[in-house]
Amino acid sequence: MNTTTTSMRVACLAGAALSVLACAFPAAAQNAAAEQDAAEDGSVIVVTGSIRGSLENATETKRAALNVVDVATADSVGRFPDENIAAALARLPGVAVQLDQGQARYIQVRGAPNRWTSVAIDGLPQTGTDEGGGERAYRFDAVPAVLLQQLVVNKSLTPDITAEAITALVDLQTYSPLDDGKLGFSVTGDAGYGFMDLGEGQQRSGSLRLSWTNDRIGIAVGGSHYLRDQVTDNREAGYDANGIPIDIDIRNYELRRENNGLFGAFEVRASDDLKLFVNGIYTEFVDREERNAYEIELADSGARGTRGLLSGSLDNVSITTNYNDGLYVNENIITSAGFDYDTPEGGVKGIVGYTRTENTTDLPLIQSSIRGISVDYDRSADPRFPVVDLFRTINTGGVFSRGEPLGEIPITEQSVPRTILIPIVQGVVSDAWSGRLDAWKQLDDLKISAGLYATKRDITGNNIGIGGIVPLAATGFNPNDYATDRAWNTQFPLGVGINYLDTRAMNRDLQSALATAGIDPANFVLPTSFYDQQERIYAGYAMAQWDAGPLQLVAGLRAEQYEIDNAGTVLFGGTAAPLAVSQDFFDLFPSVNIRYEASDNIVLRLGGQRGVSRPAYAAIRVGASISDTAATIGGGNPFLTPEYTWGADATIEYYFASNGIASISGFHRWVEDVLYQSQQLVGSDLYDTDGIDRSNYLLGSTFNGEQGTLYGVEFNVETQFDFLPGALAGLGVQGNLTLLGGDFEARNAAGDLETFGFQGLSDTVLNASVFYEYAGLSLRVAYQKRSEFLDTIGGLGAGEFRDGFENLDVTARYALTPNITLFADLANLTDETYVAFEGTPATPSEVERIGERYLFGVRFNF
């Protein structure tokens, strides 16, 4: 889209916003006048609204908590103003998001690797199984925000919380009809529609929740839907040891991403002290990704010419083409049932649950090549956006020269004999049964608590890998047949035109050709990538809470027994053989939290704890491939041990007289056995067969490093300036700044200690919002920024960094009536460019942009 069109669109949006304000302010002024009349007798003007209500609820929960927590609550119409949970959590102190093509997917609390944050739903722990099981990190984009009532980020632990949380446990609390306070029938929902600026695809959302309650019974059912048709601009590049590009990869993705959710709750208050409940959640994340990609092979062995740091001129290069109509699906079934018996003297609560997570990936990557091309490239203006000029190559007796210039990449000249299929098929299924029982007794100022927890989880699947290729020439498949005259939607400079291929039709015909030829892509999955695991956790805790006026002390001990049975396949010189390994760990996790109300406005906290993070399923798999010729092994590492940590937290919280909070928090984590990727000697007889000693082979895998430290300080302020006169009382701020540091030591293949940075650690994370909420009008401008961070750690510590980025979002709400609210969400108004780089920003390895997003609609609550 050109600049003029974008400017016109922004102008139209600004005009629409002004129109809303023009309509809103007469009503606001009228209400304000009525409130002023009411205030003349000395009464307090009460400014109501969704942001104010959420702020008050979150502040109240935070103040009453026994440990260090941050809280996000749903707004007054029963949902968060965010597309998913990750985006909602990103507004809290010390929380940064990891994006996948511009969409929030994971969270990182206090700059730590995302695996150090665990998740519970209504207090029952959950475990993430991402694509291939490569991470235990929980995928927050799979759970729509509308299902939830409150998000609690526990930054310090108490013994009743799972110890598998080094930096935080996020408790996702679902909607409870009996706790909502409404009687009779109610309906809550929203409907929205908008567009994506890049590609002009649609964006739509909708949710509906029906509930009915009386004094004893509460029933709720609902569902949600979110969809975006998105174009992602992408450039990638590889470099030699001198930082000179060896390839320029020009990509464009057309995506359809969809989140769907269903949920239900049935609750019975059998007596004033006893509540029975049953909950069920189904969520689905579907990502259909069409890829068009062209990799200009600057270091082609047959190329002639010059290849420089900022520019080059080469003849006789080839262009590798890659096309894909891929599908990613993540499904979750989460059910639970239990009871809650609570009296002033004591109580008991029990809950059992079943969770099934299925994650599948189907990437039928079609690859071909275009040969005999000459290229000039120029990176001098901006290394993120190399500009290329293409020409025909003329070969005269082995002497190459330039022919006619090419205005477009010749997508109809791909080599049919060189066309291959690279089938990438992955699937992971996790079935888990869990249960916990908690009991407590009040003895004057002392509350004694104890509980049991158990889970059994079966995990089967394979991690992503390339297990072979399929030549397509014999099937009659021709990629040139799918060329179109539809030009790319792109905002990046190219220097050459590119048209789309019809990847959907290509994939449809490909699957038909494979079926006719009797070829099943699933047969090309690496046998060493499969794993079959069962893990069991048995835990118990005892905890005491002592209340002595303004002082509260919570201390106790949690014991956890962790067991894992691990089976897979090892290739010994091409011969497959099954192998199994079992491990078990018993650990004690003490914790203490001190809360002191120094005054009516000041709360001081101090906490100490021990925590754990267990290795990902794919990382710990038995599967491996052995090369006796090279004396190397590649695969999982079944001897990995968990990461352990000791931690300390301290906070000073100042609560304003009417609403809001200002706080300073500091924390420190001492971590042992940090996980990282490297090459090391096997050091065991696990892979020894037929008299061959392989204990000195190099294993390329995940390993436990040495010790590390992670530390930081958080500044937070949230308040509405309701002391200001009249309409100015609607102004408010929500802002937090987190400053972070830390690293760890690990040994390289030579046995020498090196220092590494933690994955995901930005030294600065900033969230700032200014809002205005008065007499039915609600406006918020939200700004988020994080500094650069290490994304992945390579074989010997060479990593890929993500450049810092910022986002600016604007939300507007206007209540037409107490039950109907119009809304407008304007997201990514900075039109951010997301950049990854190798070593320094001068060698960007990935550059991506998705454009602004606009969504308009209505919310209702009856």
Side-chain angles (χ1 to χ4, degrees), residues 271-289:
S271 68
D272 292 341
D273 304 320
L274 177 62
K275 183 172 79 170
L276 310 175
F277 58 88
V278 177
N279 296 316
I281 299 173
Y282 170 79
T283 70
E284 174 191 59
F285 171 84
V286 180
D287 180 8
R288 184 165 189 174
E289 175 185 289

Side-chain angles (χ1 to χ4, degrees), residues 36 60 87 224 290 358 403 430 490 507 577 607 610 623 629 657 683 685 789 798:
Q36 183 63 39
E60 181 181 349
S224 65
E290 298 182 66
E358 185 169 0
S430 169
T490 179
N507 188 38
R610 187 174 190 244
T629 303
D685 61 0
F789 58 96

Side-chain angles (χ1 to χ4, degrees), residues 8 18 32 53 81 188 226 438 488 515 543 559 587 632 672 694 725 746 785 806-807 818 860:
M8 291 177 61
L18 290 173
T188 295
Y226 174 78
D438 300 89
W488 271 18
M543 179 175 73
D587 295 293
T632 60
E672 302 170 356
R694 298 186 175 95
K785 181 178 182 179
E806 54 188 352
N807 290 107
F860 49 89

Side-chain angles (χ1 to χ4, degrees), residues 836-856:
F837 57 89
E838 295 180 8
T840 72
T843 52
S845 55
E846 183 182 58
V847 181
E848 209 166 61
R849 185 183 293 168
I850 67 166
E852 301 97 334
R853 307 191 305 275
Y854 306 100
L855 185 69
F856 308 91

Side-chain angles (χ1 to χ4, degrees), residues 18 38 55 304 363 375 442 464 530 617:
L18 290 173
L55 175 62
R304 299 293 184 268
L363 299 178
V375 59
Q442 191 71 46
I464 292 179
F530 285 99
Y617 304 112

Side-chain angles (χ1 to χ4, degrees), residues 37-235:
D37 292 340
E40 288 177 354
D41 62 359
S43 61
V44 178
I45 299 177
V46 178
V47 182
T48 61
S50 61
I51 300 176
R52 170 65 180 262
S54 296
L55 175 62
E56 290 179 342
N57 292 337
T59 302
E60 181 181 349
T61 302
K62 180 180 177 71
R63 179 164 187 164
L66 301 174
N67 55 330
V68 180
V69 303
D70 284 304
V71 182
T73 63
D75 63 25
S76 61
V77 293
R79 63 156 296 167
F80 293 88
D82 302 284
E83 66 193 53
N84 62 39
I85 300 170
L89 287 166
R91 305 184 187 281
L92 297 179
V95 179
V97 295
Q98 278 187 301
L99 305 174
D100 178 66
Q101 300 203 48
Q103 187 170 2
R105 171 165 292 183
Y106 301 109
I107 67 166
Q108 293 174 292
V109 178
R110 292 174 162 176
N114 50 29
R115 65 181 183 271
W116 288 2
T117 296
S118 61
V119 172
I121 296 181
D122 293 329
L124 205 59
Q126 308 288 318
T127 297
T129 50
D130 199 2
E131 296 161 11
E135 291 281 357
R136 278 181 178 257
Y138 199 81
R139 285 188 54 158
F140 289 91
D141 61 354
V143 182
V146 69
L147 308 184
L148 304 175
Q149 185 165 288
Q150 185 168 261
L151 311 176
V152 180
V153 181
N154 295 274
K155 292 182 176 178
S156 70
L157 303 183
T158 51
D160 57 331
I161 294 176
T162 176
E164 198 167 1
I166 287 182
T167 51
L169 170 78
V170 181
D171 191 13
L172 310 179
Q173 299 177 4
T174 59
Y175 173 75
S176 169
L178 283 180
D179 293 342
D180 193 24
K182 296 180 179 180
L183 294 179
F185 179 78
S186 66
V187 55
T188 295
D190 68 85
Y193 193 84
F195 59 92
M196 311 288 294
D197 181 64
L198 178 56
E200 300 182 336
Q202 66 172 326
Q203 185 182 196
R204 69 185 189 219
S205 69
S207 69
L208 182 66
R209 187 181 70 212
L210 308 175
S211 63
W212 180 86
T213 60
N214 60 16
D215 292 335
R216 295 295 180 184
I217 296 176
I219 302 171
V221 295
S224 65
H225 169 75
Y226 174 78
L227 178 144
R228 62 163 60 166
D229 286 327
Q230 172 180 320
V231 170
T232 301
D233 249 343
N234 181 282
R235 299 291 179 273

Side-chain angles (χ1 to χ4, degrees), residues 362-557:
D362 183 15
L363 299 178
L365 187 62
I366 299 169
Q367 188 176 92
S368 189
S369 65
I370 302 170
R371 307 183 68 82
I373 300 295
S374 295
V375 59
D376 291 340
Y377 69 88
D378 186 356
R379 304 172 63 242
S380 59
D382 190 334
R384 300 177 304 168
F385 307 119
V387 176
V388 299
D389 293 310
L390 302 182
F391 309 85
R392 299 281 184 189
T393 297
I394 299 175
N395 185 351
T396 306
V399 177
F400 300 109
S401 60
R402 296 289 173 92
E404 63 176 324
L406 294 173
E408 297 181 346
I409 291 180
I411 59 177
T412 60
E413 298 179 15
Q414 300 177 73
S415 173
V416 175
R418 294 176 178 270
T419 301
I420 60 173
L421 167 67
I422 304 175
I424 301 175
V425 180
Q426 171 273 322
V428 176
V429 176
S430 169
D431 284 289
W433 288 93
S434 303
R436 63 179 292 179
L437 183 68
D438 300 89
W440 56 96
K441 179 66 176 177
Q442 191 71 46
L443 303 171
D444 295 327
D445 295 333
L446 185 65
K447 180 180 180 182
I448 304 296
S449 304
L452 299 172
Y453 167 75
T455 186
K456 173 181 172 293
R457 180 175 288 106
D458 295 301
I459 309 101
T460 59
N462 68 288
N463 68 318
I464 292 179
I466 297 175
I469 63 172
V470 182
L472 294 178
T475 67
F477 183 85
N478 186 345
N480 299 305
D481 294 340
Y482 303 95
T484 76
D485 58 1
R486 185 167 63 94
W488 271 18
N489 276 307
T490 179
Q491 295 179 347
F492 289 173
L494 290 174
V496 63
I498 309 177
N499 290 336
Y500 285 106
L501 263 71
D502 188 345
T503 55
R504 291 201 178 188
M506 176 185 285
N507 188 38
R508 182 178 61 247
D509 294 345
L510 169 68
Q511 299 305 320
S512 178
L514 293 176
T516 301
I519 299 172
D520 185 355
N523 295 332
F524 290 82
V525 177
L526 286 169
T528 59
S529 71
F530 285 99
Y531 50 89
D532 188 349
Q533 299 170 352
Q534 183 185 95
E535 68 174 9
R536 299 171 296 278
I537 301 175
Y538 308 100
Y541 75 89
M543 179 175 73
Q545 176 184 336
W546 180 55
D547 292 307
L551 177 66
Q552 287 181 313
L553 173 65
V554 180
L557 182 69

